[in-house]
Amino acid sequence: MDLGLTDRVYIVSGASTGLGLACARGLADEGALLVLCAADGDDLTSVASSIGDPSRMLLVPGDISDPGTETRLVAAANARFGRLDGAVVSCGTPPSSSVLDAPDTSWREAFEAGLLGPLRLARSVAKAATAEGASVVMLLTGPVRSPVEGAGVANGLRPGLAMAAKTLADELGPRGVRVNTVLAGHLEVESPLELEPAAEAGPEVTDHIPLRRLGLPDEFARAAIFLLSPAGSYITGVGLSVDGGADRSL
């Protein structure tokens, strides 16, 4: 299937590691032009050569939790490539904690980094969309649908971001802007988005997954890229679990 991504322009945040990096590589393989963002500029530079042709990407160090980063990314895309077709928004992860013990500072910092930052980028991309429309995919995890032990802050904030994304899809649909979320399960990737590092995942983890194995970064990225692409042009407001069937909800 031709996903229709050739020479389309996408921002990828969190592009230096984990699932953001996997999505960046997949988009490059499909012929997209990329504006890549990561908080650590050195890390971003070090992985750029593994993503694709340097002439078809722009590196913009920055943290989307810092207000104004979203504006710089959109401006960079238009200045370098003359258009913007969407974004992959990596939403990070709050520190491990219980709801009972997490201090107020953890909630405030996680709210800025894991909710407001992603929303600012999604809104900025939507506002910059042409009459042709745009597509935004947010990378989230299982706490959206079911709480995870030891992830109290994430359990509290992730569903809010997912619902905000769903509402954005309603608001932006008439303008041809699609917004979807992809929910990661247990994956073989060192990433803030993963729920279980591969080295620590034993039978007690995989036994409750119908496919009886961990997922691969490329498997997650392919699902996210399809939703982002013109091939998924009639899909918006969806939360897609990529977890080997572990999510038991409809």
Side-chain angles (χ1 to χ4, degrees):
M1 177 186 294
D2 181 3
L3 297 181
L5 289 165
T6 301
D7 292 336
R8 289 181 178 267
V9 180
Y10 296 94
I11 294 168
V12 182
S13 70
S16 66
T17 187
L19 303 180
L21 176 57
C23 288
R25 287 171 172 158
L27 284 167
D29 288 345
E30 292 290 335
L33 299 164
L34 301 175
V35 177
L36 304 178
C37 174
D40 191 316
D42 291 337
D43 286 350
L44 187 59
T45 300
S46 69
V47 301
S49 61
S50 74
I51 294 174
D53 182 348
S55 69
R56 297 180 61 81
M57 65 181 75
L58 178 64
L59 309 185
V60 182
D63 191 332
I64 64 171
S65 67
D66 297 328
T69 300
E70 72 285 351
T71 303
R72 289 197 298 115
L73 291 169
V74 170
N78 283 314
R80 174 67 180 271
F81 300 118
R83 64 181 290 163
L84 179 59
D85 297 285
V88 173
V89 183
S90 299
C91 300
T93 189
S96 298
S97 69
S98 66
V99 173
L100 187 65
D101 296 328
D104 287 357
T105 53
S106 293
W107 287 94
R108 292 189 185 101
E109 291 170 1
F111 182 77
E112 186 69 36
L115 195 148
L116 278 184
L119 275 181
R120 280 193 294 262
L121 180 53
R123 291 186 309 213
S124 294
V125 170
K127 291 175 182 177
T130 65
E132 192 175 346
S135 179
V136 175
V137 170
M138 294 188 178
L139 310 186
L140 292 170
T141 52
V144 166
R145 291 185 173 150
S146 181
V148 173
E149 185 178 358
V153 177
N155 292 339
L157 295 181
R158 288 274 171 76
L161 180 56
M163 189 58 75
K166 175 72 170 174
T167 305
L168 268 181
D170 293 341
E171 296 172 354
L172 297 171
R175 294 174 45 200
V177 177
R178 298 184 296 111
V179 182
N180 293 291
T181 59
V182 187
L183 316 180
H186 296 282
L187 302 172
E188 292 186 18
V189 55
E190 294 292 337
S191 165
L193 276 170
E194 72 172 341
L195 301 183
E196 185 80 22
E200 301 175 12
E204 69 279 5
V205 173
T206 56
D207 281 354
H208 82 281
I209 300 173
L211 291 182
R212 294 299 191 272
R213 65 176 178 85
L214 302 180
L216 300 175
D218 287 351
E219 291 177 305
F220 179 90
R222 285 194 292 269
I225 290 167
F226 174 78
L227 289 178
L228 188 72
S229 76
S233 58
Y234 201 52
I235 304 173
T236 193
V238 165
L240 175 64
S241 293
V242 182
D243 61 2
D247 179 13
R248 309 310 298 161
S249 64
L250 290 176

